[in-house]
Amino acid sequence: RAVRVGQPAQRAGSREVVARASATATAAAAYSTWADLASEPQLLPEAQAARTVMEVSPIAQLCLASSADGVDGTVCARLVAGSPSRPEPVRLAGGDQIFGVDEDGSPLFGLRPGSQAALDIAASASVSFAAHAPTGGAQAGCAVTLLGSAAEAELPAELAKKLARQTGVGKEELEGRQWWRLAPCHVHFTDALHARDAWVSPDEYAAAQANPLAESLGAVLAKLNANHAADLARLAGMLQGEAAEAAAPLGEYAAADEETLSAEILSVDPDGFDLGLRPAGKGGAIAPLRIGLRAGPQTREETLSIFSKLFQETYARQQGWQ
């Protein structure tokens, strides 16, 4: 189930963002003549986006529920998983605990035996788990909160290898920790970039697959944004120029070109990508522009190939060759 960018946001107080998203969806009709761009931009479904957040979040919070709905609670532990896109393991602070995510998207957290966190979890009937996607990677600006009960569990062998690589913690120490698994009965997803939030069915969440680019995207975005700033500005300027011709008002961004506009790729998924637009030399918030792709990338190589073709097509259009 794909989500159209023009849908009303569910969060209150987001009229400006909704108006911009609606204008962006209208402007995208002008992109239908491009080889790789879709005429209707769509967002990754909430369940898939939530699973992606869980895969890329390097840090999470574990809380003990203090109310019937489990929304408010006392912080029990700071959890660290490391980042799948970083070549070096993360450094754990003295009070940090470790977490990973199993095949169903359920978090497992390894607590030191006898620690206060382990004692608190054992005595708690309900816990909440909060994770967020950092900037510069997949689903940047998104967050997930899982509510449910925790039970002792075994650490899967493949997950143990992944955590050892990402955290630098040895196999023996991982196996010596007390592992708990949270079985979510409520899943809440928030997307600040596109002003949407939703309660996701736990069954849909468990069945969904994370963005296949999740682990490699951080390095890819860093490369594209650092090495192709001029290409991205040219692409953004041309897209906004076509948006203006399509009578889709996007304020100062619609009239901008590559000489007055700076742009960066905020995130990429199989349904499209998000460009962050800002008039060159100006501060303030970045205006997100969602661009749909006809056949989105599934791998690092496909991501680089699509943007290479977009840059080439942009230059050809600028020269009047297309």
PDB file of all heavy atoms in Angstrom, residues 250-270:
ATOM      1  N   LEU A 250       5.534  26.849  -5.395  1.00  0.00           N
ATOM      2  CA  LEU A 250       6.369  26.376  -4.304  1.00  0.00           C
ATOM      3  C   LEU A 250       7.200  27.536  -3.761  1.00  0.00           C
ATOM      4  O   LEU A 250       8.329  27.382  -3.333  1.00  0.00           O
ATOM      5  CB  LEU A 250       7.297  25.250  -4.779  1.00  0.00           C
ATOM      6  CG  LEU A 250       6.606  23.926  -5.094  1.00  0.00           C
ATOM      7  CD1 LEU A 250       7.605  22.967  -5.701  1.00  0.00           C
ATOM      8  CD2 LEU A 250       5.996  23.325  -3.847  1.00  0.00           C
ATOM      9  N   GLY A 251       6.641  28.744  -3.841  1.00  0.00           N
ATOM     10  CA  GLY A 251       7.298  29.906  -3.265  1.00  0.00           C
ATOM     11  C   GLY A 251       8.619  30.206  -3.944  1.00  0.00           C
ATOM     12  O   GLY A 251       8.759  30.096  -5.149  1.00  0.00           O
ATOM     13  N   GLU A 252       9.629  30.566  -3.131  1.00  0.00           N
ATOM     14  CA  GLU A 252      10.915  30.966  -3.685  1.00  0.00           C
ATOM     15  C   GLU A 252      11.632  29.805  -4.343  1.00  0.00           C
ATOM     16  O   GLU A 252      12.529  30.005  -5.166  1.00  0.00           O
ATOM     17  CB  GLU A 252      11.793  31.550  -2.577  1.00  0.00           C
ATOM     18  CG  GLU A 252      12.037  30.586  -1.426  1.00  0.00           C
ATOM     19  CD  GLU A 252      12.759  31.253  -0.270  1.00  0.00           C
ATOM     20  OE1 GLU A 252      13.563  32.173  -0.524  1.00  0.00           O
ATOM     21  OE2 GLU A 252      12.522  30.867   0.878  1.00  0.00           O
ATOM     22  N   TYR A 253      11.254  28.558  -4.006  1.00  0.00           N
ATOM     23  CA  TYR A 253      11.938  27.406  -4.578  1.00  0.00           C
ATOM     24  C   TYR A 253      11.531  27.169  -6.028  1.00  0.00           C
ATOM     25  O   TYR A 253      12.304  26.669  -6.832  1.00  0.00           O
ATOM     26  CB  TYR A 253      11.643  26.158  -3.741  1.00  0.00           C
ATOM     27  CG  TYR A 253      12.008  26.345  -2.300  1.00  0.00           C
ATOM     28  CD1 TYR A 253      11.035  26.668  -1.357  1.00  0.00           C
ATOM     29  CD2 TYR A 253      13.323  26.236  -1.876  1.00  0.00           C
ATOM     30  CE1 TYR A 253      11.382  26.870  -0.028  1.00  0.00           C
ATOM     31  CE2 TYR A 253      13.677  26.429  -0.551  1.00  0.00           C
ATOM     32  CZ  TYR A 253      12.703  26.742   0.366  1.00  0.00           C
ATOM     33  OH  TYR A 253      13.034  26.939   1.677  1.00  0.00           O
ATOM     34  N   ALA A 254      10.306  27.518  -6.407  1.00  0.00           N
ATOM     35  CA  ALA A 254       9.813  27.234  -7.746  1.00  0.00           C
ATOM     36  C   ALA A 254      10.539  28.044  -8.807  1.00  0.00           C
ATOM     37  O   ALA A 254      10.705  27.594  -9.936  1.00  0.00           O
ATOM     38  CB  ALA A 254       8.312  27.521  -7.829  1.00  0.00           C
ATOM     39  N   ALA A 255      10.984  29.226  -8.467  1.00  0.00           N
ATOM     40  CA  ALA A 255      11.639  30.078  -9.443  1.00  0.00           C
ATOM     41  C   ALA A 255      13.156  29.927  -9.428  1.00  0.00           C
ATOM     42  O   ALA A 255      13.856  30.573 -10.190  1.00  0.00           O
ATOM     43  CB  ALA A 255      11.276  31.537  -9.177  1.00  0.00           C
ATOM     44  N   ALA A 256      13.662  29.063  -8.559  1.00  0.00           N
ATOM     45  CA  ALA A 256      15.104  28.949  -8.400  1.00  0.00           C
ATOM     46  C   ALA A 256      15.731  28.103  -9.499  1.00  0.00           C
ATOM     47  O   ALA A 256      15.086  27.253 -10.094  1.00  0.00           O
ATOM     48  CB  ALA A 256      15.426  28.342  -7.035  1.00  0.00           C
ATOM     49  N   ASP A 257      17.005  28.348  -9.781  1.00  0.00           N
ATOM     50  CA  ASP A 257      17.760  27.495 -10.682  1.00  0.00           C
ATOM     51  C   ASP A 257      19.037  27.070  -9.972  1.00  0.00           C
ATOM     52  O   ASP A 257      19.232  27.345  -8.787  1.00  0.00           O
ATOM     53  CB  ASP A 257      18.064  28.197 -12.011  1.00  0.00           C
ATOM     54  CG  ASP A 257      18.821  29.499 -11.818  1.00  0.00           C
ATOM     55  OD1 ASP A 257      19.529  29.634 -10.785  1.00  0.00           O
ATOM     56  OD2 ASP A 257      18.712  30.376 -12.684  1.00  0.00           O
ATOM     57  N   GLU A 258      19.932  26.394 -10.720  1.00  0.00           N
ATOM     58  CA  GLU A 258      21.104  25.838 -10.053  1.00  0.00           C
ATOM     59  C   GLU A 258      22.054  26.906  -9.528  1.00  0.00           C
ATOM     60  O   GLU A 258      22.902  26.628  -8.696  1.00  0.00           O
ATOM     61  CB  GLU A 258      21.861  24.892 -10.989  1.00  0.00           C
ATOM     62  CG  GLU A 258      22.547  25.557 -12.179  1.00  0.00           C
ATOM     63  CD  GLU A 258      21.633  25.664 -13.376  1.00  0.00           C
ATOM     64  OE1 GLU A 258      20.399  25.522 -13.193  1.00  0.00           O
ATOM     65  OE2 GLU A 258      22.133  25.875 -14.475  1.00  0.00           O
ATOM     66  N   GLU A 259      21.910  28.159  -9.989  1.00  0.00           N
ATOM     67  CA  GLU A 259      22.784  29.205  -9.506  1.00  0.00           C
ATOM     68  C   GLU A 259      22.293  29.796  -8.187  1.00  0.00           C
ATOM     69  O   GLU A 259      23.051  30.457  -7.483  1.00  0.00           O
ATOM     70  CB  GLU A 259      22.887  30.324 -10.561  1.00  0.00           C
ATOM     71  CG  GLU A 259      23.566  29.867 -11.854  1.00  0.00           C
ATOM     72  CD  GLU A 259      23.683  30.990 -12.861  1.00  0.00           C
ATOM     73  OE1 GLU A 259      23.130  32.075 -12.586  1.00  0.00           O
ATOM     74  OE2 GLU A 259      24.302  30.776 -13.910  1.00  0.00           O
ATOM     75  N   THR A 260      21.025  29.626  -7.873  1.00  0.00           N
ATOM     76  CA  THR A 260      20.471  30.211  -6.650  1.00  0.00           C
ATOM     77  C   THR A 260      19.978  29.155  -5.673  1.00  0.00           C
ATOM     78  O   THR A 260      19.488  29.492  -4.601  1.00  0.00           O
ATOM     79  CB  THR A 260      19.283  31.138  -6.987  1.00  0.00           C
ATOM     80  OG1 THR A 260      18.258  30.364  -7.622  1.00  0.00           O
ATOM     81  CG2 THR A 260      19.720  32.249  -7.907  1.00  0.00           C
ATOM     82  N   LEU A 261      20.124  27.889  -6.033  1.00  0.00           N
ATOM     83  CA  LEU A 261      19.568  26.822  -5.220  1.00  0.00           C
ATOM     84  C   LEU A 261      20.646  25.813  -4.847  1.00  0.00           C
ATOM     85  O   LEU A 261      21.459  25.435  -5.677  1.00  0.00           O
ATOM     86  CB  LEU A 261      18.459  26.110  -6.008  1.00  0.00           C
ATOM     87  CG  LEU A 261      17.647  25.051  -5.275  1.00  0.00           C
ATOM     88  CD1 LEU A 261      16.717  25.706  -4.271  1.00  0.00           C
ATOM     89  CD2 LEU A 261      16.837  24.237  -6.273  1.00  0.00           C
ATOM     90  N   SER A 262      20.668  25.402  -3.604  1.00  0.00           N
ATOM     91  CA  SER A 262      21.502  24.281  -3.197  1.00  0.00           C
ATOM     92  C   SER A 262      20.580  23.126  -2.860  1.00  0.00           C
ATOM     93  O   SER A 262      19.435  23.329  -2.434  1.00  0.00           O
ATOM     94  CB  SER A 262      22.375  24.653  -1.989  1.00  0.00           C
ATOM     95  OG  SER A 262      21.569  24.941  -0.865  1.00  0.00           O
ATOM     96  N   ALA A 263      21.062  21.926  -3.058  1.00  0.00           N
ATOM     97  CA  ALA A 263      20.212  20.752  -2.848  1.00  0.00           C
ATOM     98  C   ALA A 263      21.048  19.594  -2.328  1.00  0.00           C
ATOM     99  O   ALA A 263      22.245  19.492  -2.615  1.00  0.00           O
ATOM    100  CB  ALA A 263      19.514  20.361  -4.154  1.00  0.00           C
ATOM    101  N   GLU A 264      20.401  18.733  -1.573  1.00  0.00           N
ATOM    102  CA  GLU A 264      21.034  17.510  -1.116  1.00  0.00           C
ATOM    103  C   GLU A 264      20.002  16.403  -1.083  1.00  0.00           C
ATOM    104  O   GLU A 264      18.798  16.652  -0.935  1.00  0.00           O
ATOM    105  CB  GLU A 264      21.640  17.694   0.269  1.00  0.00           C
ATOM    106  CG  GLU A 264      20.631  18.013   1.359  1.00  0.00           C
ATOM    107  CD  GLU A 264      21.274  18.167   2.721  1.00  0.00           C
ATOM    108  OE1 GLU A 264      21.717  17.133   3.275  1.00  0.00           O
ATOM    109  OE2 GLU A 264      21.349  19.294   3.225  1.00  0.00           O
ATOM    110  N   ILE A 265      20.449  15.185  -1.254  1.00  0.00           N
ATOM    111  CA  ILE A 265      19.556  14.034  -1.184  1.00  0.00           C
ATOM    112  C   ILE A 265      19.388  13.665   0.283  1.00  0.00           C
ATOM    113  O   ILE A 265      20.367  13.417   0.988  1.00  0.00           O
ATOM    114  CB  ILE A 265      20.119  12.831  -1.965  1.00  0.00           C
ATOM    115  CG1 ILE A 265      20.502  13.245  -3.384  1.00  0.00           C
ATOM    116  CG2 ILE A 265      19.101  11.695  -2.005  1.00  0.00           C
ATOM    117  CD1 ILE A 265      21.296  12.180  -4.124  1.00  0.00           C
ATOM    118  N   LEU A 266      18.157  13.637   0.742  1.00  0.00           N
ATOM    119  CA  LEU A 266      17.885  13.338   2.143  1.00  0.00           C
ATOM    120  C   LEU A 266      17.694  11.854   2.390  1.00  0.00           C
ATOM    121  O   LEU A 266      18.098  11.328   3.422  1.00  0.00           O
ATOM    122  CB  LEU A 266      16.635  14.103   2.604  1.00  0.00           C
ATOM    123  CG  LEU A 266      16.681  15.623   2.447  1.00  0.00           C
ATOM    124  CD1 LEU A 266      15.356  16.231   2.892  1.00  0.00           C
ATOM    125  CD2 LEU A 266      17.837  16.217   3.231  1.00  0.00           C
ATOM    126  N   SER A 267      17.057  11.176   1.445  1.00  0.00           N
ATOM    127  CA  SER A 267      16.817   9.739   1.591  1.00  0.00           C
ATOM    128  C   SER A 267      16.411   9.160   0.240  1.00  0.00           C
ATOM    129  O   SER A 267      15.955   9.890  -0.649  1.00  0.00           O
ATOM    130  CB  SER A 267      15.722   9.463   2.634  1.00  0.00           C
ATOM    131  OG  SER A 267      15.622   8.079   2.917  1.00  0.00           O
ATOM    132  N   VAL A 268      16.593   7.856   0.086  1.00  0.00           N
ATOM    133  CA  VAL A 268      16.219   7.141  -1.137  1.00  0.00           C
ATOM    134  C   VAL A 268      15.586   5.818  -0.737  1.00  0.00           C
ATOM    135  O   VAL A 268      16.021   5.167   0.220  1.00  0.00           O
ATOM    136  CB  VAL A 268      17.445   6.866  -2.044  1.00  0.00           C
ATOM    137  CG1 VAL A 268      17.000   6.218  -3.359  1.00  0.00           C
ATOM    138  CG2 VAL A 268      18.227   8.130  -2.314  1.00  0.00           C
ATOM    139  N   ASP A 269      14.543   5.420  -1.460  1.00  0.00           N
ATOM    140  CA  ASP A 269      13.924   4.120  -1.259  1.00  0.00           C
ATOM    141  C   ASP A 269      13.396   3.634  -2.606  1.00  0.00           C
ATOM    142  O   ASP A 269      13.461   4.369  -3.596  1.00  0.00           O
ATOM    143  CB  ASP A 269      12.804   4.197  -0.206  1.00  0.00           C
ATOM    144  CG  ASP A 269      11.731   5.211  -0.560  1.00  0.00           C
ATOM    145  OD1 ASP A 269      11.017   4.984  -1.557  1.00  0.00           O
ATOM    146  OD2 ASP A 269      11.605   6.218   0.153  1.00  0.00           O
ATOM    147  N   PRO A 270      12.879   2.423  -2.698  1.00  0.00           N
ATOM    148  CA  PRO A 270      12.415   1.915  -3.997  1.00  0.00           C
ATOM    149  C   PRO A 270      11.275   2.704  -4.623  1.00  0.00           C
ATOM    150  O   PRO A 270      11.026   2.565  -5.826  1.00  0.00           O
ATOM    151  CB  PRO A 270      11.978   0.483  -3.659  1.00  0.00           C
ATOM    152  CG  PRO A 270      12.825   0.093  -2.505  1.00  0.00           C
ATOM    153  CD  PRO A 270      12.931   1.344  -1.685  1.00  0.00           C
TER     154      PRO A 270
END
